[in-house]
Each structure stands twice: as C-alpha cells, then as structure tokens.
Amino acid sequence: MAEDDVLSQMLHAWRDDIESVPFPQFSELLIPRQQIRQRCTARPSAVRVTNATQGTDA
C-alpha cells in the first residue's frame, strides 16, 4: 500500500509540474508555402509499369 502512496505522490508532483508551464498561445498560424515540383518529361509510352501482385507485366 505504501508503494501506491509513493506512486500517487509522484503522479501529483508530475501533474503539478506539467500544469505549471503555460500552454503556448499563437496569434497567427504560419504555414510555409509548399515547393512546386518539376513536371515529369518522360512520355507515358516510355514508362514501363509492372504489376507485382499478378506475377506478370504488360
């Protein structure tokens, strides 16, 4: 039973420590612009697609 008391005390101390730090407040959320990739220049007929689930490819 003494072990439960020690664990409870540790839990309460941990919660007090966590709650003592204020949660950050953001006035404005800034999301950086995403990078634009270059278009693929390969022709679709030059690209070979395989289907590994069927065991054969076209």
Side-chain angles (χ1 to χ4, degrees):
M1 195 70 177
E3 185 177 332
D4 291 340
D5 292 338
V6 172
L7 289 175
S8 293
Q9 291 173 356
M10 291 175 66
L11 175 63
H12 289 297
W14 174 77
R15 289 191 67 169
D16 290 341
D17 184 43
I18 294 296
E19 291 173 356
S20 69
V21 178
F23 193 79
Q25 300 291 323
F26 300 100
S27 60
E28 184 178 345
L29 182 60
L30 300 175
I31 301 174
R33 289 186 65 100
Q34 296 198 4
Q35 296 178 357
I36 299 174
R37 299 185 200 170
Q38 295 291 330
R39 278 197 145 189
C40 183
T41 57
R43 288 185 275 153
S45 61
V47 178
R48 183 175 181 192
V49 178
T50 61
N51 187 350
T53 60
Q54 297 294 325
T56 60
D57 53 340

